[in-house]
Amino acid sequence: DAGITQSPRYKITETGRQVTLMCHQTWSHSYMFWYRQDLGHGLRLIYYSAAADITDKGEVPDGYVVSRSKTENFPLTLESATRSQTSVYFCASSEGAVCFFGQGTRLTVV
Amino acid sequence: ELKVEQNPLFLSMQEGKNYTIYCNYSTTSDRLYWYRQDPGKSLESLFVLLSNGAVKQEGRLMASLDTKARLSTLHITAAVHDLSATYFCAVDWGGSEKLVFGKGTKLTVNP
């Protein structure tokens, strides 16, 4: 399917576990992003990538790791999940003035 | 640091009425986005405003950008229930394609 897809859509994990959220886009957009959405905070940027093998921190990067070995994929890993990382995570990709968002992953850390 | 403020954060209005949502941002940017989000859904792009004085309209929604005042508005004309959603503005962070979002305006249109 064309577009940007995230998996899983829902995930429950335990405190301290490592979890990886996947993001795949079919447009070959250069830029990809990970945001988290929390009540009262809107969306906040975690990490972004300007191209394959180029990543940089956003506003709230602590506790997260990203990689981008291929243009189309941008996985986000929580190295040791904490309850404060319970959130809805959105992946996005952009090229020029167009930015599209995935459907989101609702992550609950118990 | 770029800050984006929306107001109001909550808006309850009657069908048929007009209203405006405001988006102020703290540092220079020439690219501003408006998104709509329905509960439990992703963000849907409404408008991209790329220059000072830009105005775009789609149905009952009209967005404008004043880069000198660092202000964008989203005007709702003759609201209908289907417009009930949360609306976000987002500003490009220094031309980097990173977006800084406002906290959103939850709009409820009542019959």
Side-chain angles (χ1 to χ4, degrees):
Chain A
D1 291 337
I4 182 165
T5 55
Q6 294 182 232
S7 62
R9 293 291 311 279
Y10 304 91
K11 177 75 176 178
I12 300 174
T13 192
E14 293 179 337
T15 300
R17 290 201 181 256
Q18 182 181 83
V19 61
T20 297
L21 310 184
M22 305 301 293
C23 179
H24 175 80
Q25 54 114 348
T26 60
W27 294 301
S28 298
H29 286 167
S30 296
Y31 286 87
M32 295 188 74
F33 310 88
W34 276 104
Y35 292 89
R36 61 177 288 175
Q37 184 175 28
D38 304 287
L39 276 175
H41 290 281
L43 281 86
R44 293 178 291 174
L45 181 65
I46 305 170
Y47 268 96
Y48 70 101
S49 169
D53 297 322
I54 300 175
T55 62
D56 206 349
K57 297 177 180 179
E59 183 184 356
V60 288
D62 292 344
Y64 303 95
V65 174
V66 294
S67 62
R68 194 161 175 213
S69 57
K70 294 183 177 181
T71 299
E72 61 267 29
N73 296 324
F74 191 40
L76 175 74
T77 298
L78 286 67
E79 295 182 294
S80 178
T82 66
R83 289 199 181 95
S84 65
Q85 292 177 309
T86 293
S87 186
V88 179
Y89 291 84
F90 285 100
C91 178
S93 71
S94 75
E95 193 77 49
V98 180
C99 184
F100 294 102
F101 284 78
Q103 289 301 102
T105 296
R106 183 174 293 274
L107 176 68
T108 302
V109 183
V110 298
Chain B
E1 181 187 355
L2 173 59
K3 293 187 178 181
V4 180
E5 291 189 357
Q6 279 183 245
N7 67 85
L9 298 182
F10 298 92
L11 177 56
S12 180
M13 56 191 298
Q14 285 186 311
E15 281 190 330
K17 299 292 188 183
N18 304 331
Y19 209 83
T20 301
I21 299 171
Y22 297 88
C23 176
N24 290 90
Y25 53 98
S26 61
T27 62
T28 301
S29 178
D30 288 330
R31 190 180 295 179
L32 189 137
Y33 299 74
W34 284 98
Y35 286 91
R36 168 181 172 144
Q37 187 181 37
D38 293 299
K41 303 294 186 182
S42 185
L43 283 80
E44 173 191 354
S45 179
L46 294 174
F47 302 107
V48 182
L49 303 170
L50 299 177
S51 61
N52 186 42
V55 177
K56 291 195 174 180
Q57 183 163 4
E58 180 74 32
R60 301 174 187 274
L61 300 177
M62 183 174 71
S64 66
L65 178 61
D66 181 344
T67 58
K68 294 179 181 177
R70 298 176 189 162
L71 171 68
S72 180
T73 61
L74 181 67
H75 186 73
I76 303 155
T77 301
V80 293
H81 180 70
D82 285 351
L83 290 180
S84 296
T86 298
Y87 293 85
F88 291 94
C89 67
V91 178
D92 183 279
W93 190 354
S96 63
E97 303 209 21
K98 296 180 290 183
L99 298 184
V100 178
F101 281 81
K103 293 185 178 181
T105 297
K106 185 173 182 179
L107 171 66
T108 303
V109 181
N110 303 304

